[in-house]
Amino acid sequence: MSDFITKRAEDINQWYNDLVIKGELADYSSVRGCMVIKPYGYALWENMRDALDKMIKDTGHVNAYFPLFVPKSLFEAEEKNAEGFAKECAVVTHYRLKNDPDNKGKLIVDPEAKLEEELVVRPTSEAVIWNTYKTWIQSYRDLPLLINQWANVVRWEMRTKLFLRTAEFLWQEGHTAHATQAEAIEETKKMLGVYADFAENWLAIPVYQGVKSESERFAGAVDTYTIEGLMQDGKALQCGTSHFLGQNFAKAFDVKYQTTEGKDEYVWATSWGVSTRLIGALLMTHSDDKGIVMPPKVAPHQVVFVPFLHEKKPEQNQILIDKCNEFVTQFKAKGIRCKIDTDLMKRPGFKFAEHEMKGIPVRIVFGPRDLEENVAEVARRDNLSKESISQDKLVNHVENLLTEIQANIYNRAKEYRNTNTRECTDYEDFKSKIAEGGFVITHWDGTAETEEKIKEETKATIRCIPYDYEQTAGKCIYSGKETKHRVLFARAH
RNA sequence: AGGGAUGUAGCGCAGUCCGGUAGCGCACCUGGUUUGGGACCAGGGGGUCGCAGGUUCGAAUCCUGUCAUCCCUACCA
């Protein structure tokens, strides 16, 4: 904890790991591919979750909870979905252990306790949920059905990375059922919009919204909509997806409703999710060589007070701590999350470095000198600047500063993203731009073959067909065919 | 799954080639001096050397097996 963060220029992957481990967001665990989310990291997740949960509820959805286990027969009902996830499923085959007769104190799986039917640990919940919806939906009056759940899922990934790709992760998954195709598509886009809003206005991560190409589509979806961010290592990161599922799941699970005319119709479906990966996105978007930079809106602590305490001067310490508490009360009244660092053993310089590493947006320092002059030293994490602020202006100043920091890191990230999004019409130029990192916007002939070839030759994938760029006609960068698709390519995490 | 590497104190490592009974830095504990940008001095605690066999008077070190982790290729919120 006391040593430094690896510099980005030195080793950007190690830098990222250092942010997570030394920033005390998470730890490696004794379970392969799984991490422990530590209190500081979990507090961040709670803030993110609470904000997004409200947005989900404000758009008419309610929360529920479905089981962790999916009987294999249900899991395989929607073929494409099952096929897509089959390779990365954890499966429960037994329900009991027993003492090992040959090895005292050890346990073995009881071969007598084999399950009649295996249970798949959910990699996503469409199967259980649609099997339930079948019984909940009878009439057009039951629609739309707008449900979200906060849950954990397991995907047995070959290679994992803290927050960005872990075998178990936390997320929310919305699953909705609608009477018409148009309404379901509208829902899909609406929720993508909610995600984009959340990413940009809460996490300060600028994202491109768009539609996935067929090969990148969610298994079982008709269309996958995505928000894509650009990380500081030049790689794109899928930050959230919203799927229009058509009638695939309705047909697989036989979910029909009766129309006003008394006809039976299959319902139309959507599903959408974001995960703890967003923590990784946030870290990789804003942080610097001194550590994490937290967006104020979701930071576990928005302000940290550092009174200059001397072990030998208890009376002076008390005055400084009282002063801090006075302000903490005022900040709390404004809904600002703060803490006081009253550790007697650590020196100020150490504390400064530690709070910077953990990304606390604003640091307020009170020393005897400041008290005499009736000021406080206010330091901001985003640009590391410091200024002396008169105490009577402190609360308003900091309140505004938090807003300013939130805006500043968003603008900074957006500028980086924009300057690293480049147009391209020549394949050789494309290859060199992709190698340099960032998004490349270019024409693509719409075929999976071309997409595959480009991936093989450059490691770049189509991140999306973006909303933000007009779909003008042009020549495919690879095949030279006339096409109307303009797509965003990038190397991705 | 194929190739490469590593398992020694909480963390990071040395010692292994050439066998002799456990060492360094950080962290931790105690005392003192310090304190406006990562303090210093002195003392101290902590290890079945991944696991299981074998060779040997003696194994972290040699042999055999085994397990785990990491990196490089295919999948991925």
Side-chain angles (χ1 to χ4, degrees):
Chain A
M1 237 243 325
S2 69
D3 40 358
F4 298 76
I5 302 270
T6 304
K7 304 263 179 291
R8 283 166 293 187
E10 232 167 80
D11 181 348
I12 197 145
N13 291 316
Q14 192 52 47
W15 167 76
Y16 176 78
N17 286 336
D18 285 353
L19 294 178
V20 176
I21 303 294
K22 293 179 179 167
E24 298 195 303
L25 296 173
D27 249 343
Y28 291 105
S29 74
S30 48
V31 189
R32 199 204 77 101
C34 297
M35 62 176 181
V36 176
I37 304 178
K38 297 181 78 173
Y40 188 60
Y42 202 76
L44 170 63
W45 176 242
E46 285 176 315
N47 289 339
M48 291 165 61
R49 188 194 62 192
D50 291 351
L52 181 59
D53 191 60
K54 182 168 187 306
M55 293 167 87
I56 290 170
K57 286 170 179 161
D58 285 348
T59 43
H61 306 84
V62 291
N63 286 337
Y65 188 81
F66 295 85
L68 171 69
F69 301 119
V70 190
K72 189 166 77 72
S73 59
L74 283 187
F75 188 74
E76 60 201 10
E78 209 296 321
E79 262 178 66
K80 286 219 171 83
N81 186 251
E83 196 189 309
F85 283 101
K87 297 185 294 294
E88 46 185 350
C89 286
V91 186
V92 179
T93 54
H94 292 74
Y95 58 87
R96 193 166 62 209
L97 299 170
K98 66 172 193 179
N99 290 320
D100 184 350
D102 306 323
N103 206 343
K104 203 168 176 300
K106 302 287 180 193
L107 295 171
I108 54 168
V109 173
D110 186 346
E112 310 263 295
K114 192 164 165 22
L115 286 170
E116 198 78 0
E117 181 181 358
E118 293 89 345
L119 296 173
V120 177
V121 179
R122 64 181 165 211
T124 181
S125 300
E126 274 79 3
V128 226
I129 289 181
W130 279 89
N131 189 57
T132 309
Y133 281 3
K134 174 168 64 179
T135 67
W136 289 359
I137 297 169
Q138 312 294 334
S139 134
Y140 70 93
R141 290 195 175 95
D142 299 321
L143 298 173
L145 186 56
L146 306 173
I147 290 180
N148 175 62
Q149 86 164 342
W150 290 93
N152 58 339
V153 289
V154 170
R155 297 182 186 177
W156 213 264
E157 301 291 350
M158 294 309 263
R159 279 184 63 201
T160 58
K161 186 162 186 174
L162 294 161
F163 286 114
L164 291 180
R165 197 186 311 106
T166 45
E168 179 190 12
F169 57 92
L170 306 183
W171 76 344
Q172 60 66 221
E173 46 181 327
H175 297 270
T176 69
H178 306 264
T180 67
Q181 176 177 27
E183 193 186 302
I185 292 175
E186 191 192 327
E187 166 80 5
T188 310
K189 290 181 178 169
K190 181 204 278 178
M191 295 322 289
L192 189 79
V194 166
Y195 288 160
D197 182 9
F198 177 65
E200 299 199 330
N201 293 314
W202 286 82
L203 309 181
I205 302 170
V207 290
Y208 286 121
Q209 300 183 51
V211 185
K212 285 287 187 190
S213 64
E214 187 179 353
S215 68
E216 299 277 328
R217 198 177 283 158
F218 176 75
V222 174
D223 262 318
T224 289
Y225 293 73
T226 179
I227 52 171
E228 299 281 328
L230 183 62
M231 305 296 106
Q232 286 187 62
D233 60 0
K235 287 186 184 170
L237 182 73
Q238 181 171 307
C239 291
T241 46
S242 182
H243 314 291
F244 169 58
L245 302 173
Q247 294 176 313
N248 293 347
F249 284 89
K251 286 177 178 164
F253 289 91
D254 195 32
V255 185
K256 291 181 190 158
Y257 73 99
Q258 237 174 28
T259 66
T260 46
E261 292 90 41
K263 278 203 320 191
D264 273 357
E265 300 276 4
Y266 286 114
V267 302
W268 298 83
T270 82
S271 71
W272 26 273
V274 298
S275 71
T276 37
R277 168 181 275 191
L278 282 175
I279 292 177
L282 172 163
L283 295 173
M284 276 234 191
T285 300
H286 303 302
S287 304
D288 61 23
D289 287 346
K290 284 187 177 287
I292 300 168
V293 174
M294 290 273 183
K297 278 184 155 181
V298 292
H301 311 291
Q302 296 168 305
V303 175
V304 60
F305 286 87
V306 182
F308 272 41
L309 305 179
H310 291 238
E311 217 178 345
K312 296 284 168 60
K313 300 178 184 167
E315 301 85 9
Q316 181 181 291
N317 291 349
Q318 200 49 55
I319 294 168
L320 289 166
I321 291 172
D322 287 348
K323 198 62 176 175
C324 291
N325 275 320
E326 208 177 282
F327 282 105
V328 166
T329 310
Q330 293 183 57
F331 279 127
K332 278 192 177 156
K334 286 186 175 281
I336 295 171
R337 299 181 288 276
C338 33
K339 72 162 191 174
I340 310 176
D341 187 344
T342 54
D343 195 327
L344 272 175
M345 305 310 287
K346 291 178 183 141
R347 296 157 63 101
F350 183 92
K351 292 180 178 181
F352 296 168
E354 195 178 14
H355 298 138
E356 278 161 6
M357 192 157 72
K358 297 181 86 169
I360 302 177
V362 172
R363 179 181 71 232
I364 299 175
V365 175
F366 275 116
R369 215 153 75 195
D370 303 299
L371 276 198
E372 262 171 45
E373 296 166 25
N374 225 32
V375 296
E377 184 192 84
V378 177
R380 50 192 281 186
R381 178 62 186 88
D382 60 336
N383 62 15
L384 298 165
S385 66
K386 297 189 276 201
E387 56 182 327
S388 202
I389 301 295
S390 143
Q391 286 180 21
D392 54 356
K393 297 196 178 115
L394 189 60
V395 177
N396 281 334
H397 178 82
V398 169
E399 192 180 23
N400 293 332
L401 195 54
L402 289 170
T403 310
E404 197 183 319
I405 292 171
Q406 181 83 26
N408 182 44
I409 62 171
Y410 174 73
N411 291 332
R412 197 162 70 181
K414 189 159 189 178
E415 198 188 323
Y416 170 80
R417 197 275 311 263
N418 288 349
T419 57
N420 286 290
T421 302
R422 297 179 289 177
E423 302 201 12
C424 188
T425 52
D426 170 75
Y427 190 55
E428 287 308 312
D429 183 38
F430 175 85
K431 284 200 255 186
S432 71
K433 283 194 164 100
I434 284 294
E436 287 163 25
F439 287 111
V440 176
I441 173 97
T442 188
H443 281 91
W444 161 61
D445 63 15
T447 68
E449 295 74 43
T450 297
E451 190 181 3
E452 184 56 34
K453 285 278 191 235
I454 292 176
K455 186 178 176 184
E456 272 172 32
E457 291 172 22
T458 68
K459 289 184 181 164
T461 50
I462 296 175
R463 303 320 303 155
C464 67
I465 303 159
Y467 290 1
D468 298 9
Y469 288 87
E470 230 182 302
Q471 294 296 308
T472 52
K475 282 193 167 66
C476 172
I477 195 158
Y478 192 83
S479 67
K481 286 184 205 149
E482 280 294 328
T483 174
K484 60 180 180 21
H485 295 293
R486 287 182 91 200
V487 299
L488 281 170
F489 273 97
R491 287 184 183 163
H493 275 278

